[in-house]
Amino acid sequence: MLKYQQLKNIFSIGKRLCAPYWTSNRKWRGIALLAAVIACTLISVYIMLEITNWYNEFYTILQNYSYGKFWHSIGKFSILAAIFILVAVYQLYLQQWLQIEWRTFMTETYLEKWMQNNTYYRLQMNIKKTDNPDQRIQEDINQFVTLTLGLGIGLFRQLTIFFSFIVMLWYLSGTFQFHLHHTTVYIPGFLVWATLSYSLLGTLLTHKVGHQLIGLKFHQQHYEADFRFSLARIREHSECIAFYRGEESEKMTFKNLFHNIITNFHAIMLRQKILTGITASYSQIAIIFPTIIMAPRYFGAGMTIGWFMQTLTAFGRVQDSLSYIVNAYVDIAQWLSVIRRLDSFISHMEESTKITSHLNIKYSKNEYALENFSLFLPNGKILIDNLNFTFPPTKSILINGNSGCGKSTMLRALANLWPFASGIATLPPPEATLFLPQKPYLPLGTLYKAICYPNNEASKENVISVLKLTHLDKYIDCLEKVDDWSMILSLGEQQKLAFARILLKKPAWVFLDESTSALDEETEEYIYGILKKCLPNITIISVGHRSSLLPWHDICLHLNGNGKYNITYLSKG
C-alpha cells in the first residue's frame, strides 16, 4: 500500500508541475514539437526493424558467399543508416527546442509567482523555510524539463521498441521443448519469456539497491546550494568580514558545509558502486545470455547465421527496452529529487501568499491615520497595542525607541510587507510614497540605473542636478559606468544616493528607516534641509535614534516595545 501511495504521490506531483505548460495558451507550439519528436521516434524504430531484418539477409549472403548480392545489401544498409542518422539529429534538435520552450514558460511562471505580492519576502516568514529559491528557478527547473523530456520520450521509445520487436522475437524464437517425467513440455516464444524473466530480475535488484539514491540526491542538491550560497555571501559582505578579521570563522563555516557535501557524496558513491556493479554485470551477462539460450537450436536445427544474428539483435532490442529502468535509474533518482524540491518550493510560495494581514489598508488623498493599529511578532508578542494616530500632511513624524521595539517593523506593516498587524490604516496612494531602508539597494549596472531605480525615467540633467545637491558630484562622470556600485560607494554615499532618488521622484510622503545612520550629524542636517527646501510639501516619517533628528520633526512617536507608546508634539524654537 505504501509503494502504491508513493507512486500516486509521484504521479500527482509530476502532473502538478507539468500541467501548467501543457494547458496554457502556449501549449500548441509544444504539442507540435512533441508530435514531431514522437514521429521521429516512430520512424527511427521502424528503421531499426528494417536494419534487424537486414542482419538476416546480410549474414545469410555472407554464409552463402553470394558476392553479387553483397553490394546491393551494403547499399540498402547505407540508405537505412542515412535516414536513421538524419532522423536522430532532428529528433534531438526538436527535443531541445521543446526543452527551451517549456523551460522558458516555467521560468517565467515561477519568477512571476516568486515576485508577485512580495512572495520572495514573505518566504522568509514561512515556518517551512525554502532554501536557495534562486537555485530552484535556475537549476531545478532546467533539470526538471531536461529529465522529464529525456525520461518520458525515452520511455515512449523503449515501449515502441518493445511492442515492435516482441512480435519479431516471438516469431524467431519458435517453440522450445523439453521432457519432464515422460512428458514433453512445449514453450512457445521461449526467448520472449527468457528476456522478460532476466529483465524483471535485473529491475528488482536495481531498485532494491538504488532506491536510497533518491533521498541522497535530494540532500546533495541542498548541501551544494548551501555551500554555493555561503561562498557568494563573502563577496556581498567582504568588507564587514575583513574588518572583523573573520576569515578563520568563515573558513570553518565553509569546511563544515563542504563536509556535509563530502559525507553525503560518500554515501552516494557507496550506493552507486553497488548499483554500478549490478548494472554492469547485468549488461555484460546480457551480451552472452541470449547466445547461450539460442545455441542449442542453432546447432541442433542447423539454422542459418543470418537467423542467429537477427534473433540476437531482436533479443537485445527487447532486453534493452525492458531494462529501461535499470539503465536510467540514476536519472530517475535525480528526477525524483528535483520534483520534490520544485514541489516544496511552489507549495511554500502558495503557503506564503496565504499569510494574510488583519490590517485593513485604505488609500486616500485627503485623510491619513491609524485606527486601533496593533503590531505583533510571528510568535504573537505584541509590539504596538491599539495605536490611534493621525498623520498631519506636510508635517514630519519621528518614530523612536529602543532596539527591537518595532520601529522598522511598523514601516514594513505600513508598506504592506509585514502581515502580523491589525486595525485600519488610511494611507496615501502607493505612487505618492517612497520607502527608504537603512541600507539602500543598488542594482548591478550603470550608476545612472542605480540612481533612477526602480524606474529609469529621469533625464540625465536631473540626475546630475540631484547628484550635486547630495554632494555626490564627483561621480557625475561615472553615470554610464557599469559596476557593482554597492562595493564602490561607502554606506554614507549609498544613503546620500537614496536621498537623490527622493529628489528625483518627488513623492508626497517618504518613509525613512534610519536612512541617515551612516551620515555625520552635519551631513544629516544638510540632507533634511535640502528635502524641506526642494520639497516643501513633503511629509516625512522617520525611524531613528539620534536626538539630532528631533529639530527636523513636528511629532515624536516613542515606542516602548511592550505594546505601549507615547506621542509628543515638538515645538520648534
Side-chain angles (χ1 to χ4, degrees):
M1 184 64 184
L2 181 60
K3 299 287 185 181
Y4 169 76
Q5 189 61 41
Q6 288 176 337
L7 289 173
K8 187 177 178 181
N9 290 339
I10 290 169
F11 176 78
S12 177
I13 294 172
K15 181 180 178 181
R16 181 186 185 192
L17 296 176
C18 293
Y21 176 66
W22 296 103
T23 56
S24 70
N25 55 5
R26 293 163 64 173
K27 65 184 176 183
W28 296 113
R29 179 178 291 183
I31 290 173
L33 288 169
L34 183 59
V37 171
I38 290 173
C40 289
T41 302
L42 294 173
I43 294 171
S44 67
V45 173
Y46 174 77
I47 299 297
M48 289 167 62
L49 279 169
E50 289 298 312
I51 290 176
T52 303
N53 289 325
W54 175 86
Y55 278 122
N56 194 339
E57 172 190 313
F58 181 73
Y59 282 100
T60 301
I61 289 172
L62 292 180
Q63 186 177 22
N64 295 332
Y65 299 97
S66 301
Y67 184 72
K69 298 179 179 179
F70 174 79
W71 288 110
H72 173 76
S73 184
I74 291 294
K76 180 180 179 181
F77 174 80
S78 299
I79 294 172
L80 291 172
I83 297 173
F84 185 84
I85 292 169
L86 183 65
V87 170
V89 168
Y90 274 93
Q91 179 180 342
L92 177 62
Y93 174 76
L94 293 170
Q95 184 173 324
Q96 290 179 332
W97 189 356
L98 175 56
Q99 180 181 328
I100 291 172
E101 292 287 332
W102 194 358
R103 182 187 177 186
T104 300
F105 174 84
M106 285 193 69
T107 300
E108 291 175 353
T109 301
Y110 275 63
L111 281 173
E112 182 68 25
K113 289 180 180 292
W114 190 44
M115 299 302 292
Q116 71 179 0
N117 299 324
N118 308 121
T119 301
Y120 63 93
Y121 181 81
R122 288 172 175 261
L123 277 173
Q124 303 173 66
M125 304 176 194
N126 198 331
I127 297 175
K128 300 176 182 178
K129 296 295 182 182
T130 300
D131 62 282
N132 308 293
D134 51 304
Q135 185 200 18
R136 312 287 180 101
I137 295 172
Q138 181 268 322
E139 183 178 331
D140 288 348
I141 288 178
N142 182 35
Q143 287 193 2
F144 169 74
V145 173
T146 303
L147 290 171
T148 300
L149 287 175
L151 292 171
I153 293 171
L155 178 61
F156 173 78
R157 177 184 177 85
Q158 295 306 325
L159 287 174
T160 306
I161 290 173
F162 173 77
F163 288 111
S164 300
F165 280 88
I166 197 74
V167 177
M168 178 185 287
L169 186 61
W170 185 278
Y171 171 77
L172 293 171
S173 295
T175 301
F176 178 74
Q177 62 182 48
F178 62 94
H179 298 284
L180 182 66
H181 298 298
H182 308 291
T183 303
T184 303
V185 179
Y186 298 92
I187 304 177
F190 71 100
L191 287 176
V192 173
W193 300 114
T195 188
L196 284 171
S197 302
Y198 183 74
S199 301
L200 179 62
L201 177 63
T203 301
L204 290 175
L205 283 174
T206 301
H207 177 66
K208 185 173 181 62
V209 172
H211 73 279
Q212 294 182 13
L213 274 174
I214 298 170
L216 292 171
K217 289 280 187 178
F218 178 85
H219 292 306
Q220 189 69 16
Q221 285 185 304
H222 172 71
Y223 294 143
E224 294 280 5
D226 283 349
F227 183 60
R228 182 170 59 248
F229 178 72
S230 67
L231 292 174
R233 290 185 79 249
I234 289 292
R235 184 177 60 214
E236 183 180 353
H237 302 284
S238 58
E239 185 176 10
C240 295
I241 295 168
F243 272 125
Y244 279 116
R245 294 181 174 85
E247 294 83 2
E248 291 302 320
S249 177
E250 294 299 323
K251 283 194 293 184
M252 185 59 65
T253 300
F254 295 153
K255 288 179 180 179
N256 290 336
L257 292 172
F258 190 66
H259 175 74
N260 292 335
I261 293 174
I262 297 303
T263 301
N264 193 73
F265 192 72
H266 274 302
I268 292 176
M269 287 170 55
L270 178 61
R271 192 53 48 180
Q272 282 191 328
K273 180 181 73 172
I274 301 172
L275 183 61
T276 302
I278 290 175
T279 54
S281 301
Y282 177 83
S283 300
Q284 293 304 309
I285 294 173
I287 296 173
I288 200 70
F289 180 65
T291 305
I292 295 173
I293 293 177
M294 294 187 298
R297 187 178 180 195
Y298 173 74
F299 290 109
M303 306 300 290
T304 64
I305 194 171
W307 169 88
F308 187 87
M309 295 306 297
Q310 183 184 15
T311 307
L312 190 65
T313 304
F315 185 96
R317 297 295 188 192
V318 174
Q319 188 266 327
D320 281 345
S321 65
L322 290 171
S323 305
Y324 179 70
I325 293 178
V326 175
N327 298 327
Y329 202 88
V330 173
D331 286 340
I332 293 172
Q334 182 75 8
W335 180 77
L336 289 173
S337 69
V338 167
I339 67 170
R340 283 174 59 187
R341 287 175 61 82
L342 282 177
D343 183 60
S344 64
F345 180 40
I346 196 168
S347 295
H348 293 171
M349 285 197 293
E350 290 173 354
E351 290 172 10
S352 297
T353 59
K354 294 176 183 177
I355 303 176
T356 57
S357 174
H358 295 286
L359 179 64
N360 182 13
I361 297 181
K362 301 177 180 179
Y363 297 108
S364 170
K365 294 183 178 180
N366 304 312
E367 183 182 0
Y368 315 108
L370 297 177
E371 184 179 345
N372 300 323
F373 175 79
S374 296
L375 191 66
F376 314 90
L377 291 177
N379 61 11
K381 180 183 177 182
I382 298 177
L383 297 176
I384 302 175
D385 186 23
N386 202 34
L387 170 64
N388 291 281
F389 179 75
T390 299
F391 294 97
T394 73
K395 299 295 183 179
S396 299
I397 298 96
L398 174 65
I399 304 172
N400 63 14
N402 295 329
S403 297
C405 66
K407 303 184 300 296
S408 298
T409 305
M410 181 178 177
L411 292 195
R412 297 187 188 108
L414 298 181
N416 205 20
L417 297 179
W418 188 261
F420 308 104
S422 64
I424 300 174
T426 304
L427 301 172
E431 61 272 14
T433 63
L434 185 63
F435 287 80
L436 263 63
Q438 183 176 2
K439 190 177 188 309
Y441 170 69
L442 305 182
L444 296 175
T446 64
L447 181 60
Y448 172 83
K449 179 181 177 182
I451 296 171
C452 298
Y453 182 84
N455 303 311
N456 300 323
E457 300 173 352
S459 67
K460 193 171 182 179
E461 292 75 17
N462 287 340
V463 171
I464 292 174
S465 175
V466 297
L467 284 178
K468 291 179 179 178
L469 284 172
T470 53
H471 293 171
L472 293 172
D473 42 306
K474 66 179 179 180
Y475 293 107
I476 290 175
D477 294 334
C478 303
L479 283 175
E480 300 303 325
K481 183 179 179 183
V482 177
D483 217 324
D484 185 358
W485 292 101
S486 62
M487 300 296 295
I488 296 174
L489 302 180
S490 68
L491 182 56
E493 289 175 324
Q494 292 179 45
Q495 290 188 339
K496 286 195 287 185
L497 185 144
F499 279 93
R501 289 174 179 167
I502 298 176
L503 295 174
L504 277 178
K505 187 175 180 180
K506 297 181 173 62
W509 289 63
V510 64
F511 296 81
L512 309 176
D513 186 5
E514 300 195 47
S515 300
T516 58
S517 60
L519 303 177
D520 59 84
E521 292 187 1
E522 182 180 347
T523 304
E524 178 183 74
E525 180 180 354
Y526 170 76
I527 288 293
Y528 270 92
I530 285 293
L531 283 186
K532 294 288 189 178
K533 179 180 178 181
C534 297
L535 304 172
N537 295 320
I538 193 172
T539 300
I540 300 174
I541 294 93
S542 302
V543 167
H545 295 89
R546 291 178 177 175
S547 58
S548 58
L549 291 172
L550 291 171
W552 296 100
H553 295 83
D554 304 288
I555 304 171
C556 178
L557 173 61
H558 181 81
L559 304 181
N560 296 321
N562 55 1
K564 305 292 184 181
Y565 56 87
N566 302 103
I567 300 175
T568 305
Y569 292 86
L570 306 173
S571 60
K572 297 182 179 180

